[in-house]
Amino acid sequence: MTIQKAPAAAPAATETAPALRVRDLVVRYGRGRRAAAEPAVNGVTFDIASGETVGLVGESGSGKTTIGKAILGLQRVTEGSVQYRGRDITHASLGERRDLGGELRAVFQDPYSSFNPRRTIGASLIEPLRLRGVSRADAVGRARSMLERVGLPADAVDRYPRQFSGGQRQRIAVARALICDPSLVVCDEAVSALDLSTQAQVLNLLADLRDERGLSYLFIAHDIAVVRFLAQRVLVLYRGQVMESGPAAGVTDAPKHPYTQALTAASPVPRPTEQAERRARREVLVVGGASAAAPTSVGCPYAARCPLATELCRTERPALRPIDDRLVACHYAS
Amino acid sequence: MTAPLTPTAPSAVRPQGGRPLARLVRRPPAVAGALWLAFIVIASLTAPLWLPYPTEQQDFSAVLAGPSPAHWLGTDELGRDLLSRIFAAGGGTLAASTIGAVVAMLVAVPLALIAASGGERVEGVINRVTEVMLAIPAFIIMLAVIGVVGTNMPIIMAIFGFLISSGMYRVFVGAAKSLQAQLYVDAASVDGIRPVGISLKHVLPGMLNTVMVQFALVFAVAIMLQAGLAFIGFGPPIPQPSWGGMIQAASQHVYDAPWMMVPTGIVLALTVLSANVVADALAATTDVPQLQIALREPKRRMRAGASTADTQAAAGEGLRVRALAVGSEAVTLVSDVSLDVRPGRVLGLVGESGCGKTLTALSLIGLLPPGIRPQAGEVLWNGHDLTRLSEREFMRIRGREIALISQEPMRALDPMFTVGYQLGGAIRRLQKVGRAAARAEAAALLGKVGIVDAPTVLRLYPHEISGGMAQRVAIALALAGRPRLLVADEPTTALDVTVQAEILDLLRSIIADTGMSMVLVTHDFGVVADICDDVVVMYAGEVVESGSVHSVLEGPQHPYAMALLAADPHAGVEAESQRLASIPGQVPQPKDWPDGCRFADRCRFSTEACRRPIALTPRRSAEGEVRCIRSAELTAAGVTWAAAPAGVEPERVRIEPERVGAAEAAQAPTRRAEPEEARL
């Protein structure tokens, strides 16, 4: 557990540095006069320790995917810094990122569009290894053993993506992410497109691989229950800002921020009696609906929807402050 | 059908990129091209008013001269003024080119619309005919026509337009088909708009940009073709000026008077280039939606002996499906589905993708994809069998008695029209009221679906509203005909979880207020628990378990239902579980469905007896039915589908049936009742 430390503590490239250190990350789409008024990501700070899984939860437009892209170098960072094991990679080029040794990898959402339909699975899998100078025979051998590790037959290397189902392709995507021994994997909605039973298979696989290899995950998802299963620590995002962060079980079971409360209360459970009780509780709690939300520029981003909002919330943005074992950005949370 | 080329038509196009004119202005080359075309058209049309010399007037003092104050662009071999001749020739050339392009569009656009909306057979016939036309050498045909009618350019260009229309049709039919596959086209047909109306209102406006692009290209080709014909001597008769003829004449003097080629050549080249640049600019922002798996209106064949006259047969209230089978000619995709929805009740159809839940729901409203039809059984709606209705008869029920809410609210709305226009149109059609009354009713409906500022929202276009708002509008559209049954296909899947909660609350209150019933298709057991009264769990095209929501979700008796619920991370009661339960393998493809239990290959509890066909039987000590021969003994033993231990690959988890007791003993905490080993 590494709740953020003071940003000033300049880290040396040592073994004790966290796997990932993100400081005051700001991402603003567009440039110059075309820049968006509201940043997609607005001052997000967090660490991921070695072997730790941090979940990013939020609804559409919360900036969670943008954070993942910024870390992977797919999105230009406006302000702030991203350090990977003590090395600043905020503005690292793709070539410099390759020199990291393939230690920062990703699994994306759509299992259908993430593989080139005209190349075999093997060709897609060995590509990162070949770029790093691994001989062809060795690379194919590693691809075969990696496929077996994710529960697919080794001869899948000679087959094409269309010959696999969505769940199988997502396993292949996991194999591709892990084939060059990464220490951090960004999983962006990695199981969202899968059916329940295959989603469970892939989640179990990710958990097993983490325990086996000491992997760190940045696990991005809109579904707080999925995040709770895999992550030790959770950041809840709203309009590009962290509303609440802390241990996954605590944040999901006893949320302190009104937005986290709304999010967990709205997520239905498959037990009718319990769900009826939850709904009754939610009807008391929620006043302002999502459709009533209007952007606020100065105050708390959630104020327009928050049933507890006061004049203070609309005029002053609450800072993240420690409450018990977590950080909460709310004037009134306790 | 002249709509495609009326100058007012482009203003109806309103995609995200703005109007075509606005898009042109953002591209300087296109602006230059458009200005040149405008100049050449105006200058040619007004030529008789300002030409410095008559076209035939010869000035022998200045034969083959370059530019001079008397002759700005020089003269030809007979001393005729080039400027005068170029613009005198322009009018006829441009007019004939326009005729060619107009004819091509007038033939190709209607053909494309008919092919896209008329189904496979109609499209096939039109495709074959156009293929034959494409195989005809157009240039030879045109030379033959010239032999018969002489060098009458308007007629020749009209024939050229006709011949090239088959190529244009190829371009348009793709665009028309992808537009026809949009869900808003489905929604329109649910509302009861006829196919011709759908083609004109929903498909044609989306194609207009493509049509304008092709128009500009054909126009340019026609100009080149006329020049080419004149060059080889098939232009207007000799003293009359033509661009091709002038270039031909200039080519004779290319060594002694090279200038003569320049003015005509530049005018011709610039005109053709301008038409192409304008076409490119239009094409660059063409937003034809992606082709998707079509869920469009099927061509329903009238069945022999079909009749809806037996109104007295209204035996049961509500919806009653019996032994329904749905499939294509090659394969059955849904079999033996029976369900009942009484008024005011909500039935959940739940399962993983490919289990047939959506096909079952679409067959309730007669909107199965092309080529897929009900094969057996009946869908009784207030006593009438819907599977026997003709398309025309179904249109009286769709929207009025049974309405559809689809997964993607944005795609149920046509981006070309405002919310108010679409909602008002549906109300006028379904309730037969006037424009003003429809407007008021539209505002009232929006209020009913929880939209506070209805007058503003009515004026907005679909892309200007959020996903949650769009789903509210889509629900308002579905309510426009005051239906008694709502078929909702994953209505909240595309929405954020807080918005989903609001939409479910809205549906719940509408059902409480109106007493209508709903069939809800979903993969989310949480949604089922939230809003449904009864639930039907489907697997591989079959019902595996049905019953009340409480009894099925809290005590599933089919191994598949047990496994799915155990795999749901939202169910995580035992908080610190390190693994989720999962089902090994994949849902089998329809062609691989076995005769026996379709879940047997993935089931922990399967035995040899599971390889025989298995019927639905009553659930043990509860209402509802289950399709499993071992469910009674498994339920009695209190067996659950627990997570496999770490390190064991899900694919390899195979618990032999005779070892079920032992395996369960090893996972004692998951037991809910004392094991009855003897019974296993």
Side-chain angles (χ1 to χ4, degrees):
Chain A
M1 249 317 288
T2 45
I3 292 280
Q4 66 189 92
K5 298 160 195 150
T14 60
E15 284 305 306
T16 54
L20 189 78
R21 178 181 289 245
V22 175
R23 285 290 170 274
D24 301 313
L25 186 71
V26 177
V27 179
R28 197 183 283 273
Y29 284 109
R31 286 180 115 148
R33 280 190 299 138
R34 293 194 168 200
E38 199 182 355
V41 177
N42 194 353
V44 170
T45 294
F46 65 96
D47 285 346
I48 302 179
S50 212
E52 188 189 27
T53 299
V54 170
L56 287 184
V57 188
E59 297 181 291
S60 47
S62 63
K64 55 189 190 301
T65 294
T66 308
I67 293 175
K69 283 184 173 174
I71 291 166
L72 291 167
L74 303 173
Q75 170 63 44
R76 203 177 55 88
V77 174
T78 313
E79 283 169 44
S81 69
V82 179
Q83 286 178 8
Y84 181 66
R85 305 177 91 181
R87 287 173 63 179
D88 191 313
I89 58 162
T90 316
H91 301 287
S93 68
L94 286 175
E96 288 164 341
R97 284 172 177 274
R98 190 181 298 167
D99 292 340
L100 293 172
E103 298 168 29
L104 181 55
R105 303 282 288 166
V107 179
F108 291 110
Q109 172 173 12
D110 188 351
Y112 290 94
S113 59
S114 53
F115 285 95
N116 185 339
R118 280 175 288 281
R119 307 187 69 190
T120 61
I121 297 300
S124 293
L125 283 180
I126 66 171
E127 193 160 48
L129 292 175
R130 298 284 289 147
L131 281 173
R132 290 176 179 83
V134 178
S135 79
R136 191 177 174 80
D138 286 355
V140 173
R142 277 170 73 174
R144 294 173 71 92
S145 62
M146 199 64 229
L147 284 169
E148 290 198 317
R149 178 59 199 92
V150 299
L152 291 169
D155 63 12
V157 288
D158 298 321
R159 293 201 259 160
Y160 287 89
R162 63 170 178 275
Q163 294 169 278
F164 297 93
S165 70
Q168 289 172 326
R169 282 192 213 196
Q170 206 61 315
R171 287 162 180 268
I172 299 169
V174 171
R176 181 172 61 181
L178 296 185
I179 197 157
C180 27
D181 280 325
S183 56
L184 176 68
V185 180
V186 175
C187 303
D188 185 2
E189 301 277 11
V191 297
S192 310
L194 304 179
D195 275 317
L196 268 183
S197 67
T198 39
Q199 169 179 300
Q201 291 173 9
V202 175
L203 282 174
N204 284 340
L205 175 67
L206 288 170
D208 292 350
L209 289 167
R210 173 185 60 195
D211 300 344
E212 200 176 290
R213 304 179 175 221
L215 288 174
S216 303
Y217 291 131
L218 178 63
F219 193 82
I220 301 168
H222 66 279
D223 188 335
I224 200 162
V226 169
V227 171
R228 186 197 191 288
F229 169 77
L230 202 65
Q232 283 109 38
R233 211 151 48 82
V234 174
L235 277 81
V236 181
L237 293 162
Y238 185 76
R239 287 184 181 272
Q241 299 176 34
V242 177
M243 298 286 104
E244 179 167 358
S245 69
V251 170
T252 48
D253 297 343
K256 291 189 185 293
H257 194 285
Y259 175 64
T260 322
Q261 288 168 359
L263 206 58
T264 50
S267 175
V269 296
R271 289 180 295 277
T273 316
E274 188 186 333
Q275 176 58 23
E277 289 163 12
R278 288 166 61 97
R279 192 170 64 231
R281 279 205 305 275
R282 192 185 71 227
E283 276 158 13
V284 179
L285 176 80
V286 178
V287 181
S291 47
T296 53
S297 50
V298 284
C300 170
Y302 188 60
R305 281 171 67 180
C306 183
L308 310 169
T310 63
E311 200 47 42
L312 174 67
C313 302
R314 282 182 276 273
T315 51
E316 193 181 313
R317 179 177 156 185
L320 273 172
R321 59 192 172 98
I323 301 177
D324 302 340
D325 57 351
R326 64 189 91 155
L327 296 170
V328 185
C330 176
H331 292 301
Y332 297 105
S334 59
Chain B
M1 196 149 60
T2 53
L5 297 166
T6 52
T8 55
S11 65
V13 183
R14 197 191 160 94
Q16 292 85 328
R19 285 149 200 274
L21 203 63
R23 280 179 265 152
L24 277 186
V25 169
R26 286 200 292 271
R27 294 174 157 246
V31 174
L35 285 178
W36 172 260
L37 284 181
F39 163 70
I40 203 89
V41 166
I42 291 167
S44 300
L45 292 181
T46 58
L49 303 177
W50 59 267
L51 283 188
Y53 302 94
T55 51
E56 262 77 38
Q57 184 181 319
Q58 300 173 356
D59 180 356
F60 289 109
S61 64
V63 175
L64 293 175
S68 66
H71 303 283
W72 289 2
L73 296 181
T75 57
D76 66 8
E77 76 278 12
L78 297 174
R80 294 175 295 194
D81 184 54
L82 280 181
L83 176 68
S84 303
R85 286 179 68 80
I86 286 172
F87 285 96
T93 306
L94 296 174
S97 302
T98 308
I99 288 172
V102 168
V103 168
M105 299 305 129
L106 280 185
V107 176
V109 170
L111 277 184
L113 290 176
I114 292 166
S117 63
E120 279 172 22
R121 191 170 300 173
V122 176
E123 196 200 337
V125 170
I126 296 177
N127 282 351
R128 294 300 93 72
V129 171
T130 54
E131 276 159 17
V132 171
M133 276 173 63
L134 279 172
I136 296 173
F139 202 73
I140 292 174
I141 297 276
M142 280 160 54
L143 291 182
V145 170
I146 290 168
V148 177
V149 302
T151 54
N152 183 332
M153 269 305 152
I155 289 180
I156 292 165
M157 282 298 111
I159 287 166
F160 162 72
F162 180 74
L163 290 172
I164 206 173
S165 67
S166 48
M168 297 300 101
Y169 160 80
R170 285 286 170 187
V171 176
F172 295 151
V173 74
K177 279 178 73 178
S178 75
L179 288 163
Q180 191 84 30
Q182 296 289 305
L183 275 178
Y184 59 74
V185 168
D186 279 352
S189 78
V190 168
D191 290 342
I193 300 180
R194 286 172 198 290
V196 175
I198 289 174
S199 290
L200 291 178
K201 290 177 71 174
H202 291 285
V203 179
L204 185 57
M207 284 169 61
L208 266 182
N209 215 348
T210 315
V211 172
M212 293 195 308
V213 171
Q214 296 302 324
F215 183 91
L217 291 176
V218 174
F219 180 77
V221 171
I223 291 176
M224 287 300 280
L225 190 70
Q226 288 182 73
L229 284 172
F231 190 82
I232 59 171
F234 292 108
I238 271 308
Q240 222 176 308
S242 72
W243 291 354
M246 290 163 72
I247 289 173
Q248 197 271 336
S251 69
Q252 313 269 316
H253 297 275
V254 80
Y255 293 111
D256 53 346
W259 169 257
M260 192 174 152
M261 183 72 89
V262 174
T264 325
I266 285 180
V267 167
L268 178 65
L270 274 183
T271 307
V272 173
L273 190 65
S274 297
N276 279 300
V277 167
V278 169
D280 277 353
L282 288 171
T285 42
T286 298
D287 31 27
V288 176
Q290 291 171 327
L291 191 65
Q292 53 195 303
I293 295 169
L295 281 178
R296 71 196 162 105
E297 191 179 325
K299 297 297 141 247
R300 184 175 292 273
R301 279 192 211 123
M302 185 82 117
R303 288 209 193 163
S307 160
T308 51
D310 49 339
T311 39
Q312 294 86 343
E317 269 271 299
L319 181 75
R320 192 178 160 85
V321 176
R322 283 294 167 267
L324 178 69
V326 177
S328 64
E329 270 158 31
V331 62
T332 299
L333 298 167
V334 170
S335 56
D336 192 20
V337 170
S338 299
L339 46 91
D340 290 277
V341 189
R342 293 197 308 281
R345 301 279 283 184
V346 180
L347 174 86
L349 275 178
V350 65
E352 297 184 284
S353 47
C355 69
K357 56 190 192 299
T358 294
L359 284 182
T360 304
L362 291 178
S363 64
L364 304 180
I365 192 162
L367 286 174
L368 287 169
I372 295 179
R373 272 189 295 281
Q375 292 174 328
E378 46 192 14
V379 177
L380 293 172
W381 170 246
N382 291 335
H384 302 293
D385 186 356
L386 298 183
T387 63
R388 296 180 174 276
L389 295 192
S390 69
E391 181 53 34
R392 178 181 287 270
E393 289 165 325
F394 224 125
M395 287 209 302
R396 266 182 265 143
I397 290 181
R398 239 185 256 141
R400 291 183 174 84
E401 292 180 41
I402 307 180
L404 175 76
I405 308 174
S406 58
Q407 177 172 0
E408 295 272 348
M410 238 13 138
R411 300 220 313 258
L413 299 170
D414 188 331
M416 311 286 172
F417 298 100
T418 62
V419 168
Y421 180 89
Q422 297 185 55
L423 196 50
I427 292 166
R428 277 164 59 202
R429 202 163 41 249
L430 294 169
Q431 297 184 8
K432 306 261 188 283
V433 294
R435 196 175 288 269
R439 193 97 190 153
E441 172 77 15
L445 268 179
L446 286 188
K448 202 186 263 181
V449 297
I451 291 174
V452 185
D453 191 9
T456 309
V457 173
L458 285 174
R459 280 196 299 274
L460 298 178
Y461 284 86
H463 69 266
E464 295 173 304
I465 61 182
S466 69
M469 180 89 84
Q471 191 59 290
R472 286 171 193 272
V473 171
I475 292 172
L477 262 173
L479 296 179
R482 296 178 182 144
R484 302 306 304 153
L485 173 68
L486 212 49
V487 177
D489 183 9
E490 305 263 13
T492 59
T493 304
L495 304 175
D496 277 326
V497 63
T498 52
V499 184
Q500 163 174 291
E502 290 173 20
I503 295 293
L504 291 177
D505 287 344
L506 169 65
L507 289 172
R508 194 179 359 262
S509 73
I510 288 171
I511 286 162
D513 291 349
T514 61
M516 73 168 133
S517 35
M518 179 160 83
V519 173
L520 177 89
V521 174
T522 182
H523 65 280
D524 187 336
F525 279 106
V527 171
V528 173
D530 190 65
I531 195 169
C532 295
D533 302 305
D534 303 294
V535 62
V536 168
V537 183
M538 293 188 71
Y539 180 76
E542 283 183 333
V543 174
V544 293
E545 186 163 3
S546 64
S548 81
V549 160
H550 282 273
S551 86
V552 173
L553 263 54
E554 283 164 6
Q557 297 189 3
H558 192 285
Y560 176 67
M562 290 179 198
L564 267 193
L565 279 160
D568 191 341
H570 297 91
V573 236
E574 53 270 51
E576 299 314 316
S577 70
Q578 287 304 295
R579 295 174 63 79
L580 291 165
S582 62
I583 309 173
Q586 320 284 334
V587 180
Q589 297 294 307
K591 62 179 170 51
D592 302 328
W593 288 346
D595 294 331
C597 173
R598 292 176 184 171
F599 188 58
D601 281 342
R602 302 175 73 190
C603 183
R604 289 181 183 179
F605 311 121
S606 61
T607 63
E608 269 315 302
C610 299
R611 308 285 166 189
R612 292 191 301 272
I614 295 173
L616 282 168
T617 49
R619 298 172 74 228
R620 185 176 186 271
S621 61
E623 47 33 295
E625 292 181 308
V626 60
R627 193 187 297 274
C628 176
I629 52 167
R630 299 196 71 199
S631 74
E633 58 174 324
L634 294 175
T635 312
V639 167
T640 60
W641 189 289
V648 179
E649 269 313 307
E651 234 85 9
R652 295 178 201 144
V653 174
R654 292 293 299 145
I655 298 175
E656 296 306 317
E658 58 275 13
R659 287 177 46 217
V660 165
E664 286 304 312
Q667 297 166 355
T670 64
R671 295 286 182 107
R672 285 178 306 183
E674 274 302 299
E676 293 170 74
E677 312 272 17
R679 300 187 60 171
L680 292 169

